[in-house]
Amino acid sequence: MFMLYFTFQFSIMVNKVFLVGRLGKNPVIKKFQNDNAIAEVPLATDETYRDKQGNKVEQTEWHNLKFPFRSQAEIVEKYLRKGSMIFVEGKIKTRSYEDKDNQKRYITEIIVENFRMLDSKRDVAPADSSGAAPAVNDDFATGETPMDAPADAPGDDLPF
């Protein structure tokens, strides 16, 4: 009986990221002549752990989100603002540019493919005709964002 063996070398590579966090600023919308638009906004994610001494340590990571489609940018512009909690699915992309001193700089962005707004409906209100997002609760009216509150603060109805 003749046996034939094949050796396959699989090289599967995946560029996929999933993040849940809060927006660090109001989104910036860039509109183009060809009726296209993109939205850009920083996203904060937190990690909490205990160090060797048992002290609680909270570490915040910042991610540059880019919403590359007009339909996404319109939703972001209408409903999201600083402090909004969202889930994003996308891919990581790094690009380079030269600054004013001719130094090569790099920026890493998350190109958003899908996203979901995680704030409750009562916390989300469309922007008014001036484009400014209205204050919908006392936190926003005082300038504090939900990001300033500890994760285990009362009223946080998220399961994580």
Side-chain angles (χ1 to χ4, degrees), residues 73-96:
E74 289 172 348
I75 293 169
V76 168
E77 181 178 36
K78 187 172 183 180
Y79 294 106
L80 297 179
R81 64 192 168 280
K82 180 179 178 180
S84 295
M85 181 173 272
I86 64 169
F87 162 82
V88 297
E89 174 186 351
K91 59 185 175 183
I92 299 171
K93 186 172 183 179
T94 302
R95 59 184 171 88
S96 64

Side-chain angles (χ1 to χ4, degrees), residues 2 4 14 20 51 68 71 106:
F2 180 77
L4 187 60
V14 177
V20 175
D51 63 13
S71 58
Y106 295 91

